[in-house]
Amino acid sequence: MANITLGGNAVKTSGNLPKIGTQLADFKLVDVDLTTKTLSDFKGSNLVLNIFPSVGTGICSASVRAFNKSAGELKNTKVLCISRDLPFTQKAFCAAEGLENVIMLSDFKNGDFGKTYGLIMINGGFDALLSRCVIIADKSGKIIYTEQVPEIAQEPNYQAALDALKKA
C-alpha cells in the first residue's frame, strides 16, 4: 500500500505501483466511443499512463492538458489518460478543451485496472477513485518510470516523465 495524502489527510491505496523493469499488466478500459481497449491495442508504442481521480478537478484536468501538449512532440508514443470518470465526461472534456493528442480511458466498469495496478484509494474523500500517478513503458511494454504523487493536489513531475521517455 502506498501512503499518500489528500488535503494533508492520510490516504492509503490498494497496493503499490508496479516495479520499474517489469512488464505492464494487461488491462481492459473503456474508450470514449464505448469500445474496450486492452494493452495489445497499443502494442509497439511507448506508453504514458497518466492516471488520476477525476478529469473534473483542476489538477487532473491540468495533467491531461500538459500531457496533451507534450504528446504531439513525442515520437511513437501514446498518452493514455485513465480515470474512473464515465467515458461521456471524458469525451466532453476533451471536446471542450480541444484536446486531440491523448487517449481518454475509463476504469468505471469494475475497477480492474485500479485493482491490478494497486491504485485505488481505499479511504478518504476520494475513496474508490484512482490515485494520481504516472507509469511509463517502452514499446516492448517494460516499465521504465513510475511516480506516485504523494499529495493528490500536487501535479506529477512532467519533466521527469518526459526525460524517461527520451531514454526509451
Side-chain angles (χ1 to χ4, degrees), residues 49-67:
L49 280 62
N50 174 35
I51 305 154
F52 50 87
S54 175
V55 75
T57 64
I59 301 298
C60 299
S61 59
S63 73
V64 174
R65 283 187 211 99
F67 279 118

Side-chain angles (χ1 to χ4, degrees), residues 17-18 23-27 29 39 42 45-52 63 67 74 77-83 102-103 105 113 117 119 130-138 141-143 145-149 156 161 165:
L17 288 175
Q23 291 294 120
L24 283 175
D26 199 10
F27 54 77
L29 294 165
L39 183 58
F42 308 104
S45 295
N46 296 317
L47 296 178
V48 176
L49 280 62
N50 174 35
I51 305 154
F52 50 87
S63 73
F67 279 118
L74 303 172
T77 301
K78 306 271 189 221
V79 177
L80 311 181
C81 293
I82 304 167
S83 69
V102 295
I103 300 165
L105 298 170
F113 174 84
Y117 282 81
L119 308 176
L130 302 176
S131 63
R132 183 179 323 287
C133 45
V134 176
I135 300 171
I136 299 195
D138 66 14
K142 183 175 78 172
I143 297 170
Y145 175 85
T146 63
E147 177 188 11
Q148 172 74 66
V149 178
L165 271 173

Side-chain angles (χ1 to χ4, degrees), residues 31-124:
D31 197 338
V32 296
D33 65 3
L34 301 179
T35 60
T36 299
K37 298 292 184 186
T38 66
L39 183 58
S40 65
D41 290 310
F42 308 104
K43 187 176 182 173
S45 295
N46 296 317
L47 296 178
V48 176
L49 280 62
N50 174 35
I51 305 154
F52 50 87
S54 175
V55 75
T57 64
I59 301 298
C60 299
S61 59
S63 73
V64 174
R65 283 187 211 99
F67 279 118
N68 179 75
K69 182 178 178 184
S70 302
E73 302 164 6
L74 303 172
K75 293 182 179 166
N76 194 33
T77 301
K78 306 271 189 221
V79 177
L80 311 181
C81 293
I82 304 167
S83 69
R84 296 204 67 194
D85 291 304
L86 291 175
F88 312 110
T89 301
Q90 294 174 331
K91 184 176 184 176
F93 172 79
C94 284
E97 296 282 332
L99 305 180
E100 299 176 351
N101 296 324
V102 295
I103 300 165
M104 299 296 282
L105 298 170
S106 178
D107 191 30
F108 84 99
K109 280 193 173 181
N110 53 23
D112 280 348
F113 174 84
K115 291 173 191 167
T116 299
Y117 282 81
L119 308 176
I120 298 174
M121 290 182 275
I122 57 174
N123 66 306

